[in-house]
Amino acid sequence: MESSEGRKRKNEIDIPCSKKKKKTKGQETEEPIYSCGDEARKCVSDTLKKLEAVSDREGFTFFKDIKEKLLVLKNKNLTDKMYIGVFGKSGVGKSFLINALLDEEFLLPSGSGEACTSVLIEVQADTNATNYNAGIEFISKSEWESDLRFMKDMIADEATEDGDELEDMAREKIEAVYGSKGINQSYNELLKSQTPQPFPTTLKIFKDNQASDLSKAIGCYIRNDGSFPQKYWPLVKKVTISLPASSKYLDRIVLIDLPGSGDINKERDEMWKTCLSKCASVWIVNDITRALNGKESIHILRNTFRIIAGGGECCNIAYICTQTDRIDPEQSDKQKEKEAAIGFRNQKYKEKIQELLDKEAKKCLLGDEEESENVFNVYTVSSQEYMNIRKGRTAIMKENDTVQELPLLHEHIRNMVIQHSQKAEKDYITEVFGVLSCLTFSKLVQVAEFNSELSVLLKNELDKVCENLVTFLNDVSENLESCLKDGVVEAEKMCIKIISCFIYYKMKNFRGYHRTLKAVCRSNGSYSSSKGPIDLNYTLSRPMYTSVNKTFLQTFRNSRSSINIIFDNVLYDFISSERLNKYKSSKVYPQVVFVKTELKRILSELEKEIRYIKKSINNSLSDSIKKIMQPAYEEASKISGTHAFKKIQKTLEDRIVSSQNTMFQRAKEEMLHRFDDLKKLVNNRIKEKMKESITLALNQSEVDETFPDIRDEFKTIKKCCKDLQITMCE
């Protein structure tokens, strides 16, 4: 028997059905990546039309069930968007990078020195669009009033000479919406103010023929510079921009420009986490002059990796160094010397950053070091140089030099789209092949006893593979429980140290930290500052996460003992290739193929669900801590006046000390409970759905003459399987 490595994704060889480039004068244009998916969908539609003429006999629901499956396939979307999160501190060039990738110099606000983008922006191309469109989604009025009260408290708190991040943010937001006079007005006075009037409560839509015109129209909703007398960006939850497409690959992705500064709004903070968890790729962007700033880079990496590891779809991380055309003038008196200095500097930085990525990511993200290949990429880019080249302006470097790797980012996106499209298409064609197989029965009377015998045999085989699957999941559960027990002991030991380091954080004169701690309480234990998340719930539960990390990552990422590899084993062991070949000369071969492809479909659907269920399991530790700490957060967030800081500290300390003997045990039980729910879901889903499929395929007493003739459709789908080298469907 083949090893699990040898048979991993055996029927998903990454070979496209048709991929060509046609050269036209002065440029290359790309034909559609695939044609097989369209052919398969046409086969489905044609078969459905032929089945419309077939009437279901009373008590014989076979055709009805097949029609339902074909209808699902007819409407199935194979071109879901892929999300790429562009993450980094303000001012590092995220917006300019997105503009350059889209070949739209003035779409998103960008500038040097002063940060511009202050809200989350999703950008995507639309092949059906003729205009540039933008949708502005606002936070609720009650959310803004809650934010406003907190911001006024931040300004009124015992202000220091230098202020701090939260105070500066509060002043900036209030002045943006109410003008400079708003800083000195009370909370109640601001509520009665005619600004903003009326409060934006609905989605605003903008359309323009030019990107620059759209950018100007929405500028007051996304920019925090001095370009607009009236600014609404503090009220905005999200901006969605679509533009006419120029590349087939860019049509399939959504670029998410994540704001680099911190935010105290709960809705926007939660949306930030949700967006990051659904990203197939995350780009960490940094100015090349700061790219090797050890503490800053590691802080960004670790916090980003922690969110990614906990759930979602991310399978690739890119570290992008921007502004690479900049070099010390002493190193670049002449053009050729400047090019050489830039190239040498960039290559050296790439090597060091790659080393940093590998080191940190293997600790935070991977369960098996051998699985790190092609997960991390480092690019050096200059968006300005790229646009100079594209617009025919004077440029320092050539397009393919190390200063300018934006074309490699385009290739990175293209490869992601191709890989995603291939898998989606192969899964779809495999499923179509299975369903159409059911309609190629011999029109001779079948032997009912043989069908019944095979049905029992397959159901017994199903029970065996499910038993193996449950054994694997039980082993994982036991490992988790053992690790969690150790984590509970360590977390209880660390409580006093956490109280000292987190709550009684030693800053000179405690400057600004009282505001930060209050923001943490207001946001139920977690505040996303511009320097990264400050999370008391995670800090308390971190010893438990450290303890279970290896088991969790090995189970849910692409290690040799991951749940996806176990699914591959289930698919292989249930009606193995050897057994399938034995049925080839049998009348029941089409039904057996259908049953096999049904299992593949069910497992593929489960894989997608598990991507998000694992997030719930992973978050259960900090969520449980948050629930126990909630009364203290609510009480502390209301404290103000004399000695407020000390009272907040005491409130949090008392809650931790009084709960430390129970809250970690509860967190352990919650994680195990959620994993147990996953075990039941996987086992029950496979058993129930597969037994339905086996019954549908084999428990028919006869096949009458009303079966439609789908020989042409079946021939087409078999050719698609051959073109894509789907061995299961030979």
Side-chain angles (χ1 to χ4, degrees):
M1 181 177 290
E2 296 178 75
S3 67
S4 61
E5 291 178 85
R7 64 182 184 248
K8 180 183 177 183
R9 297 292 191 261
K10 186 173 181 179
N11 64 315
E12 294 179 6
I13 301 170
D14 290 330
I15 298 177
C17 177
S18 60
K19 171 70 178 73
K20 298 179 181 178
K21 284 190 176 182
K22 291 173 67 178
K23 286 190 176 181
T24 59
K25 187 176 181 180
Q27 65 177 0
E28 285 187 341
T29 59
E30 292 175 351
E31 292 182 348
I33 307 173
Y34 301 106
S35 61
C36 289
D38 294 336
E39 291 177 9
R41 198 181 294 275
K42 185 177 185 304
C43 289
V44 169
S45 296
D46 292 345
T47 303
L48 269 171
K49 289 178 183 177
K50 292 180 178 181
L51 280 173
E52 291 300 321
V54 178
S55 301
D56 290 327
R57 299 196 312 275
E58 186 176 350
F60 188 76
T61 62
F62 174 78
F63 289 128
K64 178 183 177 183
D65 294 337
I66 292 296
K67 286 178 188 176
E68 289 176 356
K69 288 184 177 293
L70 288 171
L71 192 59
V72 170
L73 286 168
K74 180 182 178 181
N75 298 321
K76 195 167 188 175
N77 182 18
L78 299 183
T79 57
D80 291 336
K81 297 278 190 177
M82 298 181 69
Y83 290 80
I84 298 176
V86 187
F87 179 81
K89 295 188 70 175
S90 297
V92 298
K94 301 189 305 296
S95 298
F96 206 166
L97 174 67
I98 292 174
N99 285 347
L101 278 168
L102 298 171
D103 202 18
E104 295 286 354
E105 194 166 12
F106 305 108
L107 182 64
L108 297 183
S110 58
S112 58
E114 186 176 12
C116 290
T117 307
S118 296
V119 301
L120 187 148
I121 303 177
E122 292 187 358
V123 185
Q124 57 188 309
D126 183 357
T127 51
N128 298 317
T130 56
N131 293 317
Y132 294 83
N133 303 318
I136 316 290
E137 184 181 351
F138 299 95
I139 62 174
S140 66
K141 187 175 182 180
S142 61
E143 277 288 326
W144 172 246
E145 291 175 354
S146 175
D147 290 350
L148 183 61
R149 182 183 292 279
F150 178 76
M151 289 187 290
K152 292 301 294 182
D153 287 346
M154 292 297 97
I155 295 174
D157 262 345
E158 303 167 0
T160 61
E161 184 177 342
D162 296 329
D164 75 332
E165 177 187 295
L166 277 162
E167 182 186 350
D168 293 343
M169 179 194 64
R171 290 179 178 276
E172 186 180 34
K173 284 190 172 186
I174 291 173
E175 188 169 348
V177 177
Y178 298 100
S180 57
K181 67 180 185 300
I183 301 296
N184 298 317
Q185 290 181 306
S186 69
Y187 171 73
N188 289 328
E189 286 174 332
L190 291 176
L191 287 185
K192 296 176 183 178
S193 171
Q194 295 301 305
T195 305
Q197 181 66 29
F199 190 92
T201 56
T202 58
L203 183 72
K204 279 186 175 289
I205 304 294
F206 294 86
K207 292 185 179 182
D208 273 291
N209 293 324
Q210 299 294 326
S212 57
D213 292 337
L214 181 76
S215 185
K216 290 176 184 177
I218 65 175
C220 63
Y221 297 98
I222 62 178
R223 297 174 66 126
N224 68 352
D225 58 14
S227 303
F228 303 90
Q230 180 70 61
K231 296 182 280 289
Y232 292 98
W233 61 265
L235 310 176
V236 175
K237 184 176 181 182
K238 183 177 75 171
V239 176
T240 304
I241 297 175
S242 63
L243 60 150
S246 59
S247 164
K248 178 68 177 177
Y249 302 110
L250 292 178
D251 293 344
R252 299 287 300 276
I253 67 164
V254 179
L255 293 165
I256 307 178
D257 187 354
L258 298 163
S261 59
D263 205 329
I264 48 91
N265 181 269
K266 296 178 185 178
E267 286 187 12
R268 293 203 290 204
D269 185 54
E270 187 58 38
M271 184 174 59
W272 182 91
K273 294 175 184 175
T274 301
C275 284
L276 193 55
S277 69
K278 70 182 180 181
C279 289
S281 180
V282 170
W283 295 356
I284 300 172
V285 183
N286 207 349
D287 180 340
I288 196 166
T289 61
R290 293 182 279 178
L292 287 176
N293 181 326
K295 289 184 179 179
E296 182 177 291
S297 295
I298 291 174
H299 187 70
I300 292 173
L301 287 172
R302 286 178 178 171
N303 283 292
T304 305
F305 290 165
R306 178 166 66 85
I307 295 171
I308 293 169
E313 299 189 19
C314 184
C315 57
N316 179 276
I317 299 160
Y319 196 108
I320 302 172
C321 301
T322 57
Q323 302 176 21
T324 56
D325 56 313
R326 298 182 181 180
I327 196 75
D328 187 341
E330 294 181 3
Q331 296 178 284
S332 53
D333 292 334
K334 298 180 180 180
Q335 180 72 13
K336 288 186 178 180
E337 291 177 358
K338 186 170 186 176
E339 290 181 22
I342 290 173
F344 178 79
R345 187 270 316 271
N346 291 352
Q347 187 59 37
K348 183 176 69 173
Y349 273 45
K350 285 183 73 170
E351 291 170 0
K352 291 186 176 181
I353 292 167
Q354 188 69 56
E355 183 180 344
L356 174 66
L357 273 171
D358 290 341
K359 179 182 176 182
E360 291 300 321
K362 284 171 183 174
K363 286 195 297 185
C364 303
L365 196 59
L366 299 171
D368 189 333
E369 292 189 6
E370 294 182 13
E371 298 294 334
S372 62
E373 186 178 359
N374 298 324
V375 176
F376 314 111
N377 303 96
V378 182
Y379 299 95
T380 54
V381 306
S382 167
S383 303
Q384 183 63 63
E385 279 292 287
Y386 181 77
M387 293 309 299
N388 287 342
I389 293 168
R390 297 289 292 172
K391 302 301 179 183
R393 301 190 291 253
T394 302
I396 301 170
M397 305 289 285
K398 297 177 182 178
E399 187 169 341
N400 293 323
D401 286 335
T402 53
V403 68
Q404 192 41 270
E405 294 187 340
L406 263 162
L408 296 183
L409 271 179
H410 276 284
E411 186 69 13
H412 171 79
I413 293 171
R414 173 183 171 277
N415 290 338
M416 284 177 53
V417 170
I418 288 177
Q419 185 178 17
H420 178 78
S421 300
Q422 284 174 341
K423 185 180 186 310
E425 186 179 51
K426 288 177 183 179
D427 287 348
Y428 181 77
I429 289 171
T430 301
E431 190 176 349
V432 173
F433 181 88
V435 176
L436 295 191
S437 293
C438 268
L439 295 173
T440 62
F441 296 163
S442 167
K443 294 185 179 182
L444 300 173
V445 176
Q446 299 181 34
V447 181
E449 291 79 5
F450 179 69
N451 274 355
S452 177
E453 179 184 333
L454 181 57
S455 176
V456 171
L457 178 66
L458 292 179
K459 287 177 180 178
N460 287 339
E461 194 65 33
L462 178 66
D463 288 338
K464 288 180 183 179
V465 295
C466 285
E467 185 178 338
N468 292 336
L469 178 60
V470 169
T471 299
F472 163 77
L473 293 172
N474 284 338
D475 288 343
V476 173
S477 183
E478 289 177 8
N479 288 336
L480 279 176
E481 185 170 14
S482 176
C483 294
L484 285 168
K485 284 180 180 178
D486 295 338
V488 167
V489 173
E490 190 63 25
E492 290 173 350
K493 289 180 182 177
M494 291 290 292
C495 266
I496 300 302
K497 184 176 180 180
I498 290 170
I499 291 170
S500 174
C501 295
F502 192 105
I503 297 175
Y504 293 97
Y505 180 55
K506 300 299 182 184
M507 293 179 68
K508 186 178 180 181
N509 301 323
F510 290 103
R511 186 178 66 208
Y513 194 64
H514 62 298
R515 296 187 179 96
T516 299
L517 200 58
K518 194 165 186 178
V520 168
C521 294
R522 182 178 182 270
S523 301
N524 302 323
S526 174
Y527 162 60
S528 294
S529 75
S530 63
K531 298 177 181 178
I534 301 171
D535 193 335
L536 179 55
N537 304 315
Y538 174 74
T539 302
L540 287 166
S541 55
R542 181 159 46 197
M544 300 180 72
Y545 279 111
T546 300
S547 184
V548 302
N549 188 54
K550 184 176 180 180
T551 297
F552 191 87
L553 292 175
Q554 287 180 339
T555 303
F556 291 107
R557 294 196 71 83
N558 290 328
S559 70
R560 293 189 183 90
S561 56
S562 74
I563 196 167
N564 287 354
I565 301 304
I566 301 303
F567 278 1
D568 285 335
N569 294 343
V570 168
L571 184 62
Y572 179 85
D573 293 336
F574 179 72
I575 316 180
S576 65
S577 299
E578 292 83 357
R579 176 175 290 183
L580 195 60
N581 285 331
K582 291 179 181 178
Y583 288 117
K584 273 199 170 180
S585 59
S586 168
K587 292 181 295 185
V588 295
Y589 179 69
Q591 295 100 307
V592 176
V593 169
F594 166 73
V595 172
K596 178 84 170 181
T597 56
E598 280 288 281
L599 178 58
K600 185 180 187 309
R601 175 184 63 81
I602 293 164
L603 293 175
S604 294
E605 291 174 354
L606 276 171
E607 283 184 12
K608 292 178 183 177
E609 284 188 60
I610 289 171
R611 290 175 195 167
Y612 296 96
I613 293 173
K614 71 175 181 181
K615 180 180 178 182
S616 171
I617 296 171
N618 183 75
N619 290 348
S620 63
L621 297 179
S622 57
D623 286 348
S624 182
I625 300 298
K626 179 171 72 174
K627 185 176 180 180
I628 292 169
M629 290 293 298
Q630 190 66 34
Y633 294 146
E634 292 177 359
E635 181 182 345
S637 63
K638 297 174 183 176
I639 296 174
S640 59
T642 307
H643 306 303
F645 187 31
K646 291 183 179 179
K647 291 176 183 177
I648 291 172
Q649 289 174 315
K650 187 68 166 58
T651 300
L652 294 175
E653 179 184 10
D654 288 348
R655 184 65 178 179
I656 293 172
V657 171
S658 65
S659 305
Q660 73 179 92
N661 293 328
T662 57
M663 66 176 171
F664 302 115
Q665 184 66 29
R666 289 184 188 176
K668 182 197 83 170
E669 292 169 357
E670 182 63 25
M671 176 172 271
L672 292 174
H673 173 70
R674 294 191 191 186
F675 189 81
D676 190 57
D677 286 344
L678 173 64
K679 288 194 301 182
K680 293 175 182 176
L681 169 70
V682 169
N683 188 44
N684 293 342
R685 175 78 61 79
I686 294 173
K687 280 191 172 181
E688 291 173 6
K689 295 297 182 182
M690 281 305 298
K691 286 182 178 178
E692 289 176 7
S693 298
I694 292 170
T695 299
L696 173 63
L698 297 172
N699 285 10
Q700 309 302 332
S701 59
E702 63 178 24
V703 179
D704 61 24
E705 294 295 327
T706 62
F707 262 61
D709 185 351
I710 62 159
R711 283 175 293 184
D712 290 342
E713 290 78 9
F714 195 62
K715 181 180 179 181
T716 298
I717 205 67
K718 285 188 73 174
K719 183 179 183 302
C720 288
C721 291
K722 183 177 180 181
D723 288 343
L724 289 172
Q725 297 189 6
I726 303 176
T727 55
M728 181 192 296
C729 303
E730 290 178 349

